Amino acid sequence: MATSLGSNTYNRQNWEDADFPILCQTCLGENPYIRMTKEKFGKECKICARPFTVFRWCPGVRMRFKKTEVCQTCSKMKNVCQTCLLDLEYGLPIQVRDTGLSVKDEVPRSDVNKEYYTQNMEREIANSDGTRPVGLLGKAPSSSDMLLKLARTTPYYKRNRPHICSFWVKGECKRGEECPYRHEKPTDPDDPLADQNIKDRFYGINDPVADKLLNRATTMPRLDIPEDKSITTLYIGGLGEDVTDSELRNHFYQFGEIRTITIVQRQQCAFIQFATRQAAETAAEKSFNKLIINGRRLNVKWGRSQAARGKERENDGVTESGIRLEPVPGLPGALPPPPLSDEDASTNYFNLAPTNSPVVMNLGLPPPPGVAMPPPPGFGPPMFHTMDPMAPPMPPPMAMRPPGQVHYPSQDPQRMGAHASRHGGP
């Protein structure tokens, strides 16, 4: 609603005139040499309906133009960005921030009460130093563990991308690469994130983004305190190779006296034992999912007692919450147990028909070197008895041979060339 100076001037003293907007780092963009256009009393605030100065800029290359949506008074009341209405400290929706800080700030909805409330907040903002929020938010605790876990630590410039080209979705866009909008497939229209309202975001009710973050907070891992009071050791995982003993000691000494610090370099972990249980509980509470050393986020867990280690085998296949895991289908089962006795084991590997005469197998070890061994049938001396007195005696038949002897043709003393090679002959 552009208004000239010569038009209606009713209640113009409440119109807002500013020199620079209140923005978050994401909406401002990554370009340090940004150019803005300023339109004095260009539009009315979407919350309090009062005219305010509108700023418009492009946050980066291939990004859409952005502008301020609410006045600075409404922005300071909730400590949010004038464009995205996210908290300036945590980068989270107002509903998530108020839930984490246990703040219930009821802003009037009617026009008369809203105007009266806004004037009182402007008076309080003028009397403050501008370093802290005003109202109930300024009296709230400084931080919350849930907010520190959900807070965005780096700008999310992907949020500044252009909107999806509706002509391209219908197959009618003729601009090609010169089209300033995105040529991508839209998301599911039934997705709750596709229906967002700026007033619901400001008042902290029915915000789909906040509901998604709060559901994520309920499923985040928690560090349960062990019941065994003798445990005073914390496990620190994911150290890497650059985290030293002194860096761990510099962080954990503030929670209490440290008894020992043991670093296992092969597994890239450490064990920190405190002198008291209270110091260990304080260190676990303040460091779980928040410990960052040398740009690396470390994993903090409680150590285990000797009794808990002994029960690991009993609880094999059971999660920490007590849920027994089902075996994966398709994997081979356990091997069958060995037979109880030699009689139970079957030696019929070739599925031969049973015979009445038992089969005798000589599977003994070979004799030591220098001891002669009888040859098998067909490799030894002839079966008939020779009359030569110098001939070696005939070997006994197979039934009369002692058990435990195995024939090796290469060690047969009667083979061709055995005597010659033994005596060095030709």
Side-chain angles (χ1 to χ4, degrees):
M1 185 183 72
T3 306
S4 63
L5 295 178
S7 61
N8 186 13
T9 60
Y10 172 74
N11 204 16
R12 178 170 283 190
Q13 64 272 13
N14 293 329
W15 295 5
E16 180 184 278
D17 185 12
D19 295 330
F20 196 82
I22 301 176
L23 302 174
C24 62
Q25 183 63 34
T26 300
C27 292
L28 189 61
E30 56 185 343
N31 184 11
Y33 307 102
I34 194 171
R35 299 173 61 183
M36 285 187 178
T37 60
K38 174 183 176 182
E39 186 179 2
K40 192 175 182 179
F41 311 138
K43 285 185 176 296
E44 65 178 16
C45 176
K46 294 185 178 180
I47 304 299
C48 64
R50 298 188 305 171
F52 73 105
T53 303
V54 178
F55 295 88
R56 189 172 182 269
W57 71 98
C58 182
V61 181
R62 301 291 297 177
M63 300 293 179
R64 72 176 187 272
F65 276 83
K66 310 192 75 173
K67 61 183 178 65
T68 53
E69 304 291 346
V70 298
C71 64
Q72 292 195 3
T73 302
C74 295
S75 173
K76 292 178 181 178
M77 283 194 306
K78 293 288 189 176
N79 192 33
V80 295
C81 172
Q82 283 188 262
T83 301
C84 63
L85 269 68
L86 296 179
D87 186 77
L88 294 174
E89 183 177 357
Y90 301 104
L92 298 173
I94 297 175
Q95 184 177 348
V96 178
R97 189 221 26 216
D98 293 349
T99 303
L101 298 178
S102 301
V103 174
K104 191 175 182 181
D105 192 3
E106 294 289 348
V107 179
R109 301 294 185 89
S110 63
D111 296 338
V112 178
N113 293 337
K114 187 190 303 181
E115 185 176 355
Y116 176 75
Y117 179 82
T118 304
Q119 291 177 0
N120 291 337
M121 294 304 296
E122 282 183 339
R123 190 179 302 110
E124 186 176 351
I125 292 172
N127 296 332
S128 64
D129 56 356
T131 59
R132 287 185 56 82
V134 295
L136 295 178
L137 185 59
K139 302 175 183 178
S142 57
S143 63
S144 172
D145 292 340
M146 184 190 72
L147 297 181
L148 293 177
K149 295 175 183 178
L150 295 177
R152 185 178 293 277
T153 57
T154 57
Y156 184 62
Y157 298 121
K158 192 176 180 180
R159 198 172 63 207
N160 300 330
R161 295 183 303 169
H163 297 293
I164 295 178
C165 180
S166 59
F167 289 90
W168 182 84
V169 175
K170 296 183 293 183
E172 299 177 359
C173 183
K174 300 179 181 179
R175 294 185 179 183
E177 297 182 356
E178 298 179 358
C179 182
Y181 298 96
R182 284 187 294 155
H183 288 182
E184 296 180 6
K185 184 179 179 181
T187 58
D188 186 7
D190 297 333
D191 188 2
L193 297 180
D195 185 13
Q196 302 183 27
N197 190 350
I198 190 171
K199 290 188 177 181
D200 292 344
R201 172 73 57 81
F202 183 83
Y203 292 116
I205 56 174
N206 301 328
D207 189 356
V209 179
D211 294 339
K212 180 180 178 181
L213 292 175
L214 292 176
N215 293 334
R216 183 188 301 177
T218 57
T219 58
M220 292 184 68
R222 298 180 302 174
L223 187 62
D224 298 330
I225 300 178
E227 299 179 356
D228 189 357
K229 298 297 182 181
S230 63
I231 300 178
T232 59
T233 304
L234 295 181
Y235 166 84
I236 313 298
L239 295 181
E241 300 179 356
D242 52 349
V243 179
T244 60
D245 179 281
S246 60
E247 292 174 342
L248 293 175
R249 188 178 298 274
N250 291 338
H251 173 78
F252 284 99
Y253 85 96
Q254 57 182 325
F255 306 115
E257 181 183 355
I258 298 176
R259 182 170 296 173
T260 58
I261 295 181
T262 305
I263 297 180
V264 184
Q265 195 64 36
R266 178 179 298 179
Q267 299 180 359
Q268 296 184 358
C269 64
F271 297 91
I272 302 178
Q273 184 180 10
F274 289 88
T276 61
R277 174 59 179 261
Q278 183 63 30
E281 292 181 2
T282 305
E285 180 183 0
K286 299 296 183 181
S287 303
F288 176 68
N289 208 13
K290 293 177 288 187
L291 179 57
I292 300 177
I293 297 180
N294 294 338
R296 180 187 294 269
R297 183 179 292 272
L298 305 184
N299 187 17
V300 180
K301 295 182 180 180
W302 279 96
R304 291 174 294 178
S305 60
Q306 297 294 336
R309 296 177 183 176
K311 294 181 181 179
E312 286 184 352
R313 295 183 179 179
E314 300 179 3
N315 298 333
D316 189 14
V318 180
T319 61
E320 297 179 357
S321 58
I323 302 176
R324 180 168 295 277
L325 302 177
E326 297 294 335
V328 180
L331 295 180
L335 295 177
L340 299 178
S341 61
D342 296 340
E343 298 178 356
D344 298 337
S346 176
T347 57
N348 190 7
Y349 301 109
F350 300 99
N351 297 325
L352 301 177
T355 57
N356 295 331
S357 60
V359 180
V360 180
M361 299 183 66
N362 295 328
L363 299 178
L365 296 177
V371 179
M373 182 174 56
F379 292 91
M383 300 300 298
F384 54 88
H385 181 69
T386 178
M387 302 300 296
D388 188 2
M390 299 301 294
M394 294 182 62
M398 292 291 298
M400 299 180 61
R401 294 182 184 180
Q405 294 183 355
V406 179
H407 170 71
Y408 295 95
S410 60
Q411 299 179 3
D412 184 9
Q414 302 296 332
R415 66 182 177 87
M416 183 179 299
H419 296 283
S421 60
R422 181 176 301 178
H423 295 87

